[in-house]
Amino acid sequence: MDAQRTLRRQISCVGIGLHSGNKVNLSLKPAPPDFGIRFRRTDLGDHEVPATVHNLAGIQLATGLSRNEVSVETVEHLLAALTAAGVDNVLVELNSPEVPIMDGSAAPFIYLIQEAGVKRLQAARKYLKIVRPVAISRGDKRIALYPSDHFKVTYSISFDHPLLRHQSRTIRITEESFVEDVAPARTFTFLKDVEMMRQNGLALGGSLENAIVLGETGILNNALRFEDEFVRHKILDAIGDLALVGYPVIGHLVAHRAGHALHTEFAAKVLEETQAWRLVEATDEGIVTLPVGVKSATAAPRLAN
Ligand SMILES: [Zn+2]
């Protein structure tokens, strides 16, 4: 059986929020089958915010969720790490609105998950398997999912900047390829935009420690981690945003010049297009297609304290 997984034990870290600049405590806690990924703000009581498109909040420079007036921001890098590492069920506790930015990549979250260890649960994992193409486009921005036997991402970007005029990469996403080729890729921003964000009270925690900053002709940081670190980070963002469908996806995600707004709009559209996918699980008897209307992670039981 391809079993659902959770963490073996609780693990915590401290970081800062990219936009607030405030210190944040983050804890990842084991959770039962069909719990999904949920956030809890320990500074705001017991309300949980499941990481699904139903709880999408405003998208500015990062992806946010909210429910019952409890909001969490900048969830995408953590969601990408949890999804790629096969952690289906976890309670994420924060004492502040933002997931800490760490070094701007998903590598620190992978480190946390590996330190905690992963445990198989007595329940089959459900996948959202794409059976017909789904696509949306906005001007020259496009994103689509096509049937495939594996989860693959093809991303291309083009900017009017000498370092990243055009970059394109396809990666078949496994835990190993994510850890090696995607997780270390850091977020990036343009120096000309940093001042504007600061004036709007954003990116107050931003620094060369947690983002690649692009000047007119080059980067202000010492070095890139990959020659095409930028497009790899877009792949990371897309994996995190697509995780909001609530299940690991089997399909080929293809995106061009997209961003959080389009990624998350697309995740919501995929769920609406019920003809385009099947929920399947891998049991000892083989691949089983589940009936439509199967209980989603949002309807799962609460985690016992
Ligand atoms: Zn990002």
Side-chain angles (χ1 to χ4, degrees):
M1 182 178 76
D2 187 0
Q4 293 183 33
R5 304 201 290 178
T6 188
L7 297 178
R8 196 167 285 286
R9 65 180 179 90
Q10 175 179 335
I11 194 155
S12 304
C13 73
V14 179
I16 60 163
L18 174 62
H19 292 306
S20 64
N22 292 337
K23 201 174 109 177
V24 191
N25 294 312
L26 166 78
S27 294
L28 304 177
K29 296 184 165 183
D34 297 320
F35 184 87
I37 300 169
R38 302 188 203 175
F39 290 86
R40 182 189 281 167
R41 288 271 304 275
T42 56
D43 55 330
L44 294 178
D46 279 345
H47 291 298
E48 291 169 356
V49 185
T52 72
V53 291
H54 309 294
N55 298 319
L56 266 174
I59 308 292
Q60 274 196 308
L61 301 158
T63 300
L65 301 168
S66 83
R67 187 177 183 231
N68 297 330
E69 295 176 13
V70 175
S71 63
V72 287
E73 300 292 330
T74 322
V75 298
E76 61 273 16
H77 302 163
L78 175 59
L79 290 182
L82 289 167
T83 304
V87 180
D88 306 279
N89 305 294
V90 65
L91 178 65
V92 181
E93 287 191 344
L94 299 167
N95 66 342
S96 169
E98 278 186 278
V99 174
I101 189 66
M102 311 308 286
D103 69 349
S105 81
F109 299 128
I110 288 290
Y111 176 79
L112 280 182
I113 293 164
Q114 289 176 339
E115 281 295 302
V118 167
K119 183 172 90 172
R120 286 162 59 93
L121 295 165
Q122 286 300 315
R125 174 182 286 155
K126 299 175 186 72
Y127 291 90
L128 191 146
K129 182 169 171 53
I130 299 298
V131 295
R132 287 187 202 167
V134 197
I136 51 176
S137 58
R138 296 280 176 270
D140 66 346
K141 302 175 194 297
R142 295 189 299 276
I143 186 164
L145 261 169
Y146 300 97
S148 168
D149 289 336
H150 310 285
F151 181 39
K152 281 193 298 191
V153 183
T154 296
Y155 215 113
S156 55
I157 54 174
S158 54
F159 286 91
D160 184 18
H161 189 281
L163 267 189
L164 68 169
R165 283 212 192 293
H166 185 80
Q167 292 187 350
S168 180
R169 180 166 281 274
T170 297
I171 301 180
R172 179 179 160 190
I173 306 299
T174 62
E175 183 174 351
E176 293 71 29
S177 72
F178 184 84
V179 169
E180 290 290 314
D181 299 328
V182 180
R186 293 162 296 172
T187 192
F188 57 95
T189 187
F190 294 89
L191 184 59
K192 61 183 168 53
D193 295 334
V194 172
E195 187 145 325
M196 202 175 66
M197 287 191 278
R198 292 261 164 99
Q199 280 169 2
N200 290 312
L202 296 170
L204 301 177
S207 74
L208 295 177
E209 303 297 312
N210 54 36
I212 304 167
V213 180
L214 289 142
E216 294 275 303
T217 55
I219 59 168
L220 276 60
N221 313 64
N222 286 332
L224 291 174
R225 293 178 177 177
F226 305 96
E227 201 182 341
D228 62 351
E229 188 168 355
F230 309 99
V231 74
R232 290 173 192 249
H233 187 80
K234 298 297 285 190
I235 291 174
L236 197 173
D237 280 341
I239 294 168
D241 289 333
L242 187 65
L244 296 174
V245 299
Y247 301 96
V249 170
I250 303 175
H252 185 186
L253 183 72
V254 180
H256 175 66
R257 301 200 70 185
H260 294 300
L262 198 61
H263 297 161
T264 53
E265 181 186 348
F266 181 67
K269 176 168 171 82
V270 170
L271 274 193
E272 281 168 20
E273 298 273 323
T274 53
Q275 300 303 307
W277 49 267
R278 302 273 181 273
L279 274 189
V280 300
E281 59 185 32
T283 68
D284 294 338
E285 285 77 48
I287 301 284
V288 176
T289 299
L290 301 170
V292 177
V294 75
K295 248 169 119 181
S296 73
T298 49
R302 285 175 58 87
L303 180 68
N305 283 305

